Amino acid sequence: MNDMTQTNFERALKIVGSRPARPDGVDKVTGRALFGADKSLPNMLVGRVLRSPYAHAKILSIDTSKAEKLKGVKAIITSVDFEDFPSEFVPNGEMVVNMKDITRNVMAREKVLYVGHTVAAIAATDEDIAEQALALIDVKYEVLPHVLEVEDAEKSDAPLLHDDMMTIGVEPAPTSASNVAKRVEFGFGDVEKGFSEADLVVEREFTTQQVHQGYIEPHACLASVSEDGQAELWCTTQGPFVVRNFCSKLLGFNAAQIRVTASEIGGGFGGKTVVYLEPLALALSRKSCRPVKMEMNRAEVFTASGPTSGAKIWVKIGVKNNGQITAGDCILKYQAGAFQGAPVGPGAMCAFAPYDLTNVRAVGYDIVVNRPKVAAYRAPGGPISEYGVESVIDEIALKIGMDPIDLRLKNAAKEGTIAPYGPKLGPIGMIETLEAAKDHPHYSAPLGPNQARGVASGFWFNIGGETSSSITINEDGTVGLTLGTPDIGGSRASMAMMASEELGVPMELIKPIIGDTNSLGFNFLTGGSRATFSTGTTVVESTREAIGELKKRAALLWEVSLDQVEWVDGHARLISGDEPKTMSLAQIAKQAGKTGGPIMANCSMNVTGAGPSLGTHIVDVEVDKETGRVSIIRYTAIQDAGKAIHPAYVEGQLQGGAVQGIGWALNEEYIYNDKGELENTGFLDYRIPVCSDVPMIDTVIVEVPNPNHPYGVRGVGETPIIPPLAAISNAVSRATNKRFDELPLSPPKVLAKLMHG
């Protein structure tokens, strides 16, 4: 921790920690903000996708000749328009993806692997012609058996999705292909010895279903490739630089040929960290030499973009009668969808991470099935694994007669704890969130008939990554701030606040924008709760560099040495001399031409030191024992934010994560028929929570500073979706005296448990 960082932790802050209006607020509420589908260009074509009607089938032939002859059709593409890639694994947020799989997911090649898999795409002069053209494309298939569940997919006689996929991470290395892509393991100690020392061992199996991020804005993009090969792409994305890299690889462009601009984003939650339409639109535009606009409808979003995994979970925990955990063990089997890459690694990392354990093991399996390729969903993998662990923790508390928060406090991870995935933890707020939960009025409030209270905790490790930002001091004293991470939760405001705090000028003078891929050095995507931490670090560093330049310019104007100038409250101040002298930022900027020209600063770095975030949730439920309906009566989310730059946005993140977790726990699931077809492809049948489903959600922000950030920031966006699944299940179990082990807790499932046990 440097001296300036220490000062920031201890000094009174004027801007950071306050609640100013967000810079993009007016455009959002007036409808002026442009989202993915709002952009248009002259002579624009409409792009549409032909998708597989089968869950698993060989593509025998594709005949596009009739469609090509239809008046108004300007381009048609199939897999022949995309280079075939060997396996090449690249990072993508908290997950890793394979370029070979991306090209086959964007456009099916040898086989279709799920209903909705792209087979061809067309560009036409209007929507009607585009739809007619799709109907004229003749595809011959050989239908194959399909498999939807992990326990079926791992059987030796299961339909094989990829005949060249060998399981990674097992010894001895396999000699034949299977649907199990990878085995991962984290942990240390001797779990069997730990179980032998326990007074009580609880072992349970759990099931979760595939759920979608539920963003309101569908995927959309507009591509324009000129005759000289230069390409512009406008899209709704969490990572324009990642889109540029994927598209350039898939289509044979170099990075400098593609300029990607991120639109405003109507929700992503991890689901917009990958590419679907973007390579198709670029390929169609290159072929037609006209701009091509593509949008998914809601059914396409559900059937062809990535949800998160469904899973089978086995958890075993041993404990002493005094509540000391002696061992924790789990096996996680996650659906990857049609291509490898389930978030089972992060799930295994997080499963037992809220606790300080001596003997711990988490094993995960990444298993392909005939469903859409999964994508990240807010703390990918964490909610699933911790649902199992936190449910068993609650059952143990009941069996040994211990308060569930006290049980967690006795075993809580703290500074110096070795996390199950390896590192020694620095300062973290697990104990503080538990103490805040126990002291909260909610925890001691009375309950009514058929009501009960559930508790669960959650952990997310957070990430950093490659980040760039720049700051420009304008000649009138205003400040331009260019960022490369799309704003999906108020980051423009938090970045402007940190720059304002550093410069000592009103926030209204800071004008933040999201730059395109030609405006800045590389920026990793907005995900993993990295934006405020990573981009904030570069903003502070670039602002401090700009302050150094402002001091230098003031020294030149005063004709003194630089060491005689300090920066205080937006002014250069002369340290020596009989008469105090100050010069405002605006005064220095106005004379920049006399002292060397424009004043600006950039910072590009691979930011490290992200601090883990922990949270604890309390929920009260009421169960209608005649219908099985579960109602959320009261909810409180408590989380360590390190430092809340803009507390209102942190509260919004906690509330939003809780609401998504409520949906995951109570209603949301993908429902397939025996043909492998998704039957609930709209929000009428795929039921996300609405206002009448949730109470006002109380929040408590705990602040245990992360020493690796100038203001102590921890990412906050991932953790709040982790505790709700277990907290709600624990509450329902306590309300009914029945232990539930399957999500969602929809009325039919709850009623069946009540009636039949």
Side-chain angles (χ1 to χ4, degrees):
M1 187 190 307
N2 60 40
D3 291 340
M4 193 171 292
T5 301
Q6 184 68 45
T7 302
N8 283 342
F9 290 172
E10 295 178 349
R11 69 184 174 96
L13 302 173
K14 297 178 180 179
I15 305 298
V16 169
S18 65
R19 299 172 182 247
R22 60 192 298 163
D24 53 315
V26 172
D27 282 356
K28 294 280 178 64
V29 300
T30 60
R32 188 175 288 108
L34 296 177
F35 291 83
D38 291 334
K39 187 83 168 178
S40 296
L41 288 173
N43 298 315
M44 187 174 71
L45 301 176
V46 174
R48 287 290 183 270
V49 175
L50 182 66
R51 301 189 181 278
S52 167
Y54 302 112
H56 194 194
K58 288 182 181 178
I59 300 175
L60 301 178
S61 65
I62 303 176
D63 184 355
T64 62
S65 58
K66 291 181 181 179
E68 290 167 0
K69 294 174 184 176
L70 184 65
K71 185 177 179 181
V73 172
K74 301 301 181 181
I76 300 177
I77 57 172
T78 64
S79 62
V80 299
D81 295 278
F82 293 88
E83 183 181 346
D84 194 10
F85 278 86
S87 288
E88 179 188 351
F89 291 92
V90 295
N92 194 47
E94 310 89 334
M95 301 168 70
V96 175
V97 295
N98 189 339
M99 289 304 303
K100 178 182 178 180
D101 295 340
I102 289 177
T103 190
R104 281 167 166 74
N105 194 41
V106 165
M107 183 71 75
R109 193 167 287 270
E110 303 87 1
K111 296 196 295 184
V112 292
L113 295 168
Y114 55 93
V115 174
H117 201 167
T118 300
V119 175
I122 67 99
T125 51
D126 63 41
E127 292 184 18
D128 289 339
I129 293 173
E131 294 296 334
Q132 291 176 47
L134 291 182
L136 292 174
I137 298 174
D138 182 20
V139 185
K140 296 287 193 300
Y141 296 98
E142 178 188 332
V143 179
L144 302 170
H146 65 274
V147 62
L148 297 174
E149 306 297 338
V150 290
E151 290 181 314
D152 295 327
E154 64 182 345
K155 294 177 180 176
S156 59
D157 60 348
L160 199 61
L161 273 68
H162 306 280
D163 57 12
D164 61 346
M165 192 173 75
M166 308 290 182
T167 307
I168 299 170
V170 296
E171 295 292 342
T175 57
S176 59
S178 78
N179 291 321
V180 181
K182 178 175 63 176
R183 179 189 184 276
V184 297
E185 180 175 339
F186 297 99
F188 45 74
D190 185 337
V191 292
E192 298 307 326
K193 180 176 180 291
F195 288 127
S196 71
E197 296 170 350
D199 295 317
L200 171 70
V201 175
V202 175
E203 181 178 348
R204 285 277 182 183
E205 290 187 355
F206 301 89
T207 301
T208 69
Q209 301 299 325
Q210 198 170 43
V211 299
H212 200 271
Q213 298 86 350
Y215 37 80
I216 302 303
E217 179 199 24
H219 295 269
C221 65
L222 172 61
S224 180
V225 182
S226 68
E227 287 78 359
D228 68 355
Q230 291 297 120
E232 294 199 25
L233 180 65
W234 165 279
C235 59
T236 173
T237 178
Q238 294 175 236
F241 290 86
V242 174
V243 169
R244 182 190 69 181
N245 287 2
F246 283 161
C247 289
S248 62
K249 281 179 174 289
L250 293 176
L251 295 166
F253 287 97
N254 60 54
Q257 283 180 278
I258 304 179
R259 178 186 181 187
V260 181
T261 301
S263 70
E264 295 291 348
I265 186 167
F269 314 111
K272 291 178 180 172
T273 59
V274 289
V275 292
Y276 299 110
L277 300 177
E278 295 87 352
L280 306 180
L282 284 165
L284 288 167
S285 180
R286 182 166 63 181
K287 207 164 189 177
S288 63
C289 288
R290 288 175 62 173
V292 175
K293 185 175 183 176
M294 302 187 77
E295 304 171 47
M296 285 189 184
N297 59 36
R298 185 60 61 188
E300 287 179 301
V301 170
F302 276 111
T303 58
S305 72
T308 195
S309 305
K312 293 287 185 180
I313 311 152
W314 171 84
V315 176
K316 182 178 180 181
I317 297 176
V319 64
K320 294 281 192 182
N321 288 330
N322 65 0
Q324 185 67 48
I325 295 175
T326 61
D329 199 4
C330 71
I331 297 174
L332 313 170
K333 297 178 180 180
Y334 283 20
Q335 297 166 356
F339 300 96
Q340 62 186 307
V344 73
M349 292 165 65
C350 292
F352 291 103
Y355 303 106
D356 188 352
L357 305 181
T358 304
N359 304 297
V360 60
R361 177 172 60 195
V363 176
Y365 294 92
D366 180 10
I367 302 174
V368 296
V369 293
N370 293 115
R371 297 170 180 250
K373 166 73 176 76
V374 301
Y377 180 15
R378 207 168 186 163
I384 299 168
S385 62
E386 293 195 53
Y387 156 62
V389 171
E390 291 294 297
S391 295
V392 172
I393 292 286
D394 188 71
E395 185 173 356
I396 286 171
L398 280 170
K399 288 187 172 181
I400 65 174
M402 192 170 186
D403 179 273
I405 291 182
D406 286 342
L407 176 59
R408 290 172 171 84
L409 277 168
K410 188 170 186 65
N411 297 282
K414 51 191 175 295
E415 184 172 4
T417 292
I418 304 299
Y421 59 96
K424 179 185 288 188
L425 299 177
I428 57 171
M430 177 65 173
I431 291 173
E432 288 81 354
T433 67
L434 289 166
E435 290 174 339
K438 193 168 185 181
D439 293 340
H440 197 280
H442 182 173
Y443 197 61
S444 56
L447 291 163
N450 300 321
Q451 295 180 358
R453 181 164 295 135
V455 174
S457 295
F459 171 100
W460 188 250
F461 46 85
N462 292 326
I463 61 172
E466 297 168 275
T467 313
S468 301
S469 64
S470 70
I471 191 164
T472 302
I473 309 298
N474 298 318
E475 57 273 18
D476 62 354
T478 58
V479 179
L481 181 60
T482 305
L483 314 168
T485 44
D487 183 350
I488 63 174
S491 60
R492 274 172 290 203
S494 60
M495 301 308 148
M497 291 171 71
M498 284 184 271
S500 172
E501 190 74 60
E502 292 289 323
L503 285 166
V505 300
M507 182 182 160
E508 293 73 25
L509 297 181
I510 313 291
K511 306 301 177 184
I513 65 167
I514 308 300
D516 61 53
T517 55
N518 283 3
S519 301
L520 287 162
F522 182 84
N523 276 265
F524 198 41
L525 50 79
T526 301
S529 293
R530 65 173 295 272
T532 305
F533 168 70
S534 297
T535 307
T537 298
T538 65
V539 166
V540 170
E541 290 301 317
S542 58
T543 305
R544 289 174 180 174
E545 184 179 331
I547 289 171
E549 186 64 22
L550 287 163
K551 289 164 59 180
K552 177 181 174 183
R553 302 300 181 91
L556 289 171
L557 291 168
W558 281 328
E559 298 182 343
V560 299
S561 62
L562 181 59
D563 61 7
Q564 295 184 58
V565 180
E566 62 180 354
W567 190 261
V568 181
D569 293 334
H571 292 74
R573 186 167 68 185
L574 187 62
I575 298 172
S576 59
D578 296 332
E579 288 188 27
K581 285 187 178 181
T582 63
M583 194 179 305
S584 70
L585 181 150
Q587 290 172 321
I588 299 169
K590 188 176 182 179
Q591 302 179 76
K594 300 177 182 178
T595 58
I599 302 171
M600 67 177 300
N602 304 287
C603 179
S604 295
M605 60 192 297
N606 190 4
V607 183
T608 59
S613 174
L614 292 107
T616 298
H617 290 198
I618 312 167
V619 61
D620 295 350
V621 305
E622 181 173 302
V623 180
D624 186 329
K625 294 185 178 179
E626 292 185 354
T627 65
R629 183 176 187 268
V630 177
S631 300
I632 306 296
I633 305 303
R634 186 172 180 180
Y635 204 107
T636 302
I638 302 155
Q639 189 170 316
D640 175 18
K643 175 63 182 177
I645 302 298
H646 194 304
Y649 295 161
V650 174
E651 291 164 356
Q653 289 288 328
L654 304 192
Q655 291 163 337
V659 170
Q660 288 182 311
I662 288 169
W664 196 337
L666 295 185
N667 297 302
E668 296 182 40
E669 63 177 318
Y670 269 34
I671 300 173
Y672 282 89
N673 62 25
D674 58 7
K675 295 180 180 179
E677 299 166 334
L678 184 64
E679 295 194 322
N680 54 335
T681 58
F683 284 138
L684 180 63
D685 297 311
Y686 182 92
R687 196 173 181 285
I688 63 173
V690 296
C691 289
S692 58
D693 294 317
V694 294
M696 297 297 289
I697 295 173
D698 197 7
T699 60
V700 177
I701 299 172
V702 172
E703 294 185 323
V704 177
N706 171 18
N708 300 312
H709 185 274
Y711 287 92
V713 163
R714 301 177 190 277
V716 297
E718 317 289 310
T719 304
I721 201 173
I722 297 176
L725 282 64
I728 293 168
S729 183
N730 292 339
V732 174
S733 295
R734 287 172 177 256
T736 60
N737 292 316
K738 303 277 188 179
R739 183 54 54 173
F740 286 82
D741 54 14
E742 181 178 356
L743 298 181
L745 297 168
S746 55
K749 292 179 181 177
V750 173
L751 189 60
K753 188 80 170 181
L754 291 174
M755 294 175 64
H756 307 297

